[in-house]
Amino acid sequence: MLGAGAAATIGSFLPWASVTAPLIGTVSASGVDGTDGWVTAALGLALVAFGTLTLRRHRMPSAVPVLALLAALALLALGVWKIADLSSAEEDMRQQMATPSEDDVFGIGASMSQAVQMKVGIGLWLIMLAGLAGSVATIVMLMTGRRAARVA
């Protein structure tokens, strides 16, 4: 849980997407360039706090692990959504560039459409994997906690 939260927080500051184009080079954007990165950083910090409290064996209300699970699931969902959104944006960009227009009399956009590449960055993959790991860890913690409560 602690590692998943740290990974999500770090992933918020790493590149989420990069676009490479001839003559321009590579331009990348991190999550904190927009508002979504700050949301994922806050969710990651919430998982770090929950993981720290759990390791220190603090008594917590029963709603806290459920909130941690919701935070981890939100990270996972946001990661999957953003990756799908970037893939869709790449396809839209290629179609828009390949469509002939009266402004592009020499067909430069169509020839450049295949040369421009958009890639999902490591930060977004890290956030998605952190959400998955945090979800699994929280579910395991909830299940083992309930078993331990039944035995006691």
Side-chain angles (χ1 to χ4, degrees):
M1 179 62 61
L2 192 59
T9 304
I10 292 168
S12 299
F13 293 92
L14 292 175
W16 280 21
S18 63
V19 177
T20 303
L23 303 174
I24 296 172
T26 301
V27 178
S28 64
S30 72
V32 294
D33 290 340
T35 56
D36 292 339
W38 293 109
V39 171
T40 57
L43 291 171
L45 289 174
L47 291 180
V48 167
F50 175 70
T52 302
L53 291 174
T54 302
L55 283 175
R56 300 180 121 236
R57 304 216 185 269
H58 280 277
R59 300 244 338 122
M60 292 176 277
S62 59
V64 173
V66 174
L67 291 174
L69 176 61
L70 290 175
L73 289 172
L75 284 168
L76 177 62
L78 199 117
V80 169
W81 172 58
K82 283 295 186 180
I83 289 171
D85 189 44
L86 282 173
S87 298
S88 174
E90 178 183 22
E91 187 59 36
D92 291 345
M93 177 192 66
R94 287 194 192 285
Q95 283 181 342
Q96 190 174 23
M97 288 178 75
T99 304
S101 71
E102 47 192 60
D103 293 337
D104 188 12
V105 292
F106 297 112
I108 295 172
S111 63
M112 296 282 284
S113 68
Q114 295 304 315
V116 176
Q117 296 178 351
M118 185 182 298
K119 293 183 181 177
V120 176
I122 186 71
L124 206 47
W125 289 112
L126 196 57
I127 284 171
M128 188 183 72
L129 292 174
L132 179 63
S135 300
V136 170
T138 308
I139 290 170
V140 168
M141 288 169 60
L142 285 169
M143 293 181 76
T144 57
R146 289 214 172 104
R147 264 190 260 143
R150 272 190 249 141
V151 171

